[in-house]
Amino acid sequence: MTSISYVKQQHITRLCVRCGLLLMQYGAESAVVVDLCKRLGLALGMNSVECSLNFNAITLTTICDERCITTTRDTINQSINVNLLVQIQQIINKTEADTNSDKPDNNQLKSELTDRTTLAFDELDKTVYPTWLVGIFVGASCAAFAYLNGGSWSITAVTFIAGMVAMFTRIYLSKQHFNPFITVIVTAFIASLIGATTYYFDIGNNADIAVASSVLLLVPSFPLINSFSDILKGYVNIGIGRAVFTYMLTLSACVGIVMALVLLRIQHWGF
């Protein structure tokens, strides 16, 4: 078997770390990131792939014929996109299937497979739902939560408006690259401000429901589940990092709610 060239190994290393970055940025748990990076490297002809994760960085090493190439990349948190994660897994599954069907000693086929896999990553569908649609459905989910908790139709309507406007605000601030904690504080403030109008205008049967339901969109459930999963599967460092990040988001939401209630001089909020 002809040895893989250094340049080709560099190409495969960059492709593997690119795979890991995308998975981390769009919400995959650590075990999935490591597993898919290793599978991709092995499918493309590496003898071994080692991957180390931190909260905001990934370090990856490929080993081929006793030659090591190591690279480190910073990660940037993006919104959760499960569709993108599924696409990446499908690409790796196809690469493994093509590897098993090709002759293992043919480096030309391996090179073509690497190029096809790179092209597949270039053509990933990163489209998301339009902002107006996301806002409407988030508002509807908050309104449904308020209704299920005993809120009247007027409380449900106010909650819908508060949740929708808050989601529009969150998306706008995220696109402007604001600090995520500032984004959550401002979003919680606006949602609580609109929801708390039920106190001032004596709307509905229970104004507390409107305030509590309006900030439902800020519950960081997906990151919290990932943090617990990482800790249980042995990725303690990144699991703790994600847990702290989640708790800080929750604290930021509390700060925004308190700011709105203090501004409106509401002292009796709560069930």
Side-chain angles (χ1 to χ4, degrees), residues 2-19:
T2 305
S3 176
I4 295 177
S5 67
Y6 181 81
V7 174
K8 181 57 65 176
Q9 186 178 350
Q10 279 186 317
H11 186 183
I12 295 172
T13 303
R14 287 195 294 267
L15 187 58
C16 290
V17 78
R18 178 183 181 184
C19 171

Side-chain angles (χ1 to χ4, degrees), residues 248-262:
M248 288 299 298
L249 290 178
T250 304
L251 177 62
S252 299
C254 294
V255 170
I257 295 171
V258 171
M259 287 173 57
L261 297 180
V262 169

Side-chain angles (χ1 to χ4, degrees), residues 5 72 76 152 164 193-194:
S5 67
T72 300
I76 300 174
S152 62
M164 182 175 62
L193 201 64
I194 298 175

Side-chain angles (χ1 to χ4, degrees), residues 10 12-18 21 50-52 57-62 68-74:
Q10 279 186 317
I12 295 172
T13 303
R14 287 195 294 267
L15 187 58
C16 290
V17 78
R18 178 183 181 184
L21 280 174
E50 305 299 331
C51 187
S52 175
I58 176 173
T59 302
L60 186 137
T61 300
T62 59
C68 300
I69 296 180
T70 301
T71 185
T72 300
R73 297 287 190 276
D74 291 331

Side-chain angles (χ1 to χ4, degrees), residues 93-260:
N93 289 339
K94 187 176 185 305
T95 301
E96 289 179 327
D98 291 342
T99 298
N100 294 331
S101 63
D102 291 342
K103 296 179 181 179
D105 292 336
N106 193 327
N107 278 345
Q108 180 63 31
L109 292 177
K110 288 288 185 182
S111 179
E112 293 176 359
L113 180 59
T114 302
D115 293 337
R116 291 201 303 269
T117 305
T118 302
L119 181 62
F121 273 95
D122 292 337
E123 295 177 347
L124 281 171
D125 182 12
K126 296 183 181 180
T127 57
V128 295
Y129 293 110
T131 300
W132 63 268
L133 185 63
V134 174
I136 289 175
F137 273 90
V138 168
S141 66
C142 294
F145 184 80
Y147 181 78
L148 292 173
N149 278 275
S152 62
W153 283 109
S154 55
I155 289 291
T156 302
V158 172
T159 304
F160 172 78
I161 295 173
M164 182 175 62
V165 173
M167 193 62 197
F168 286 151
T169 302
R170 185 176 189 178
I171 293 175
Y172 174 78
L173 294 178
S174 297
K175 288 183 177 179
Q176 300 302 316
H177 305 291
F178 275 77
N179 182 285
F181 304 124
I182 300 299
T183 298
V184 170
I185 290 174
V186 174
T187 302
F189 175 79
I190 291 177
S192 301
L193 201 64
I194 298 175
T197 57
T198 52
Y199 286 108
Y200 267 68
F201 299 103
D202 195 23
I203 299 174
N205 57 341
N206 192 335
D208 293 333
I209 295 177
V211 178
S213 301
S214 298
V215 294
L216 180 66
L217 66 133
L218 296 175
V219 177
S221 55
F222 203 100
L224 186 61
I225 293 172
N226 274 349
S227 68
F228 286 143
S229 177
D230 288 343
I231 293 173
L232 292 175
K233 293 180 180 179
Y235 299 92
V236 178
N237 290 337
I238 189 171
I240 292 176
R242 284 179 167 179
V244 171
F245 182 77
T246 301
Y247 298 147
M248 288 299 298
L249 290 178
T250 304
L251 177 62
S252 299
C254 294
V255 170
I257 295 171
V258 171
M259 287 173 57

